[in-house]
Amino acid sequence: MKFRAVMSDGINIKEFLNVIGTFSRMQKNLIINVQPKKLILQIESEAYDGQYLWCEIDASLRDGFFSEYLMDGIDSEHNQIYMTCLATSFVRALSYVRNNSVEYIKLKLIKTHMPCLAVEMSATISNEQDVLTPKIQHAIPVTVVPRNEWNQYEIPLEVEYDLSIAMPSAKSLRMLLDKKKNLAPTVTLYATLNNELSLVVETEVVTVASHYRNLKCVAARKPTDQEAYDQLTNLSEASCRVDTKKLAALFETINFYDVIMTANIRHEQALNIRFDMRQNAFVNYILPATNFE
């Protein structure tokens, strides 16, 4: 098995740190799935309740997120690598770039007395006489997941949703959900083809609704037959009731740069929040519908 990747763009490097930092606040363990054309970072999914959070980075373009990307999986038939590590260890290894610029960050799977993910970066330090470029190195212990356990980390890549709607700013949603999480355990999101998004919480004594207008909303899937076409034509609104605190926790922890946020709703079944970042990278968060009071 081999894995080596290099990031040379300063904004991509900081965005990578932001993704790892966000995941570390959501879950202790980080799963790294190395594939020939993409790198997937994910938290341990709470499979019993259908909650998933992952980041997918396109590694096929040399002028994209990675300037270098090489890998060999466990064998030719299963050309992937799954490994797990402590998310906080990854954050510490990258913490220098939070307030400092570097020329590159190199990730490499190595084996000393145990498997490790080596993190190397080249810093730039200037004084009156010289410009120094010291190398900063860390080794993060990882556990390489055997092939027969890969199914534990499968993520739902092919979910069909009913409506897809653009989201307002993360700051606006963060403030709104911070208030709503103390009112009720669940919040219902309604999207309509009239380009409206509503967030509603209900208690025994009050219903509080917040409305956003002029957000582009479109049907998220194509009908495959006449029955599906009729159902989709009549579905001008889709809604999903989810755990308020889990949704609020996401917006409390995210810290991305310029992203496009989209909510995809499968009516009364699941909510997907997608953050599209630069250079063909995105973060996906899926929350299942909940019925508890």
Side-chain angles (χ1 to χ4, degrees), residues 110-243:
I110 62 172
K111 185 174 182 180
T112 52
H113 61 286
M114 64 183 299
C116 289
L117 184 65
V119 179
E120 177 186 300
M121 61 192 78
S122 177
T124 301
I125 302 175
S126 301
N127 56 34
E128 293 181 358
Q129 288 81 28
D130 303 299
V131 176
L132 305 177
T133 55
K135 291 183 178 179
I136 301 170
Q137 297 178 323
H138 298 269
I140 305 169
V142 298
T143 299
V144 177
V145 180
R147 171 69 186 89
N148 60 2
E149 295 180 14
W150 285 7
N151 61 344
Q152 298 179 26
Y153 305 112
E154 290 181 352
I155 50 182
L157 298 175
E158 302 298 330
V159 178
E160 286 190 336
Y161 296 94
D162 295 307
L163 294 183
S164 178
I165 188 166
M167 296 283 279
S169 71
K171 181 179 180 181
S172 170
L173 289 168
R174 183 184 301 119
M175 295 172 62
L176 183 64
L177 289 166
D178 187 56
K179 297 175 182 177
K180 290 188 182 295
K181 71 180 181 182
N182 297 318
L183 293 176
T186 62
V187 57
T188 304
L189 282 79
Y190 294 89
T192 75
L193 289 176
N194 291 327
N195 299 327
E196 295 183 1
L197 175 69
S198 301
L199 285 78
V200 180
V201 295
E202 300 178 72
T203 70
E204 294 180 355
V205 296
V206 67
T207 297
V208 180
S210 303
H211 305 283
Y212 295 93
R213 295 181 173 84
N214 302 317
L215 301 172
K216 185 178 181 180
C217 182
V218 298
R221 57 186 171 127
K222 297 179 180 179
T224 56
D225 53 38
Q226 186 61 40
E227 181 181 355
Y229 177 80
D230 293 339
Q231 179 182 3
L232 191 59
T233 301
N234 295 328
L235 186 64
S236 61
E237 176 181 291
S239 65
C240 187
R241 189 183 189 195
V242 298
D243 187 306

Side-chain angles (χ1 to χ4, degrees), residues 54-158:
W54 77 92
C55 173
E56 185 172 314
I57 303 173
D58 186 345
S60 63
L61 303 173
R62 292 291 73 84
D63 57 349
F65 209 94
F66 298 107
S67 55
E68 294 181 35
Y69 187 89
L70 300 170
M71 64 83 61
D72 283 319
I74 59 171
D75 57 48
S76 57
E77 183 180 356
H78 306 100
N79 192 21
Q80 298 186 47
I81 304 170
Y82 276 88
M83 49 187 159
T84 66
C85 69
L86 288 175
T88 52
S89 297
F90 212 152
V91 172
R92 283 195 295 270
L94 296 171
S95 60
Y96 179 83
V97 306
R98 194 182 305 278
N99 299 309
N100 300 278
S101 62
V102 295
E103 294 183 3
Y104 67 83
I105 285 184
K106 182 194 300 180
L107 307 175
K108 185 177 182 181
L109 180 62
I110 62 172
K111 185 174 182 180
T112 52
H113 61 286
M114 64 183 299
C116 289
L117 184 65
V119 179
E120 177 186 300
M121 61 192 78
S122 177
T124 301
I125 302 175
S126 301
N127 56 34
E128 293 181 358
Q129 288 81 28
D130 303 299
V131 176
L132 305 177
T133 55
K135 291 183 178 179
I136 301 170
Q137 297 178 323
H138 298 269
I140 305 169
V142 298
T143 299
V144 177
V145 180
R147 171 69 186 89
N148 60 2
E149 295 180 14
W150 285 7
N151 61 344
Q152 298 179 26
Y153 305 112
E154 290 181 352
I155 50 182
L157 298 175
E158 302 298 330

Side-chain angles (χ1 to χ4, degrees), residues 23-41:
F23 285 19
S24 72
R25 292 188 288 271
M26 299 288 286
Q27 181 61 265
K28 179 176 70 173
N29 293 324
L30 181 71
I31 298 98
I32 305 169
N33 176 210
V34 182
Q35 299 185 23
K37 294 186 177 181
K38 61 185 176 182
L39 179 72
I40 297 178
L41 306 168

Side-chain angles (χ1 to χ4, degrees), residues 246-273:
K246 287 183 178 179
L247 185 59
L250 173 68
F251 286 96
E252 287 171 359
T253 57
I254 60 171
N255 182 28
F256 304 139
Y257 285 97
D258 186 22
V259 297
I260 298 173
M261 293 193 304
T262 308
N264 301 298
I265 300 176
R266 179 150 192 169
H267 187 54
E268 297 182 347
Q269 293 186 45
L271 169 69
N272 164 232
I273 307 292

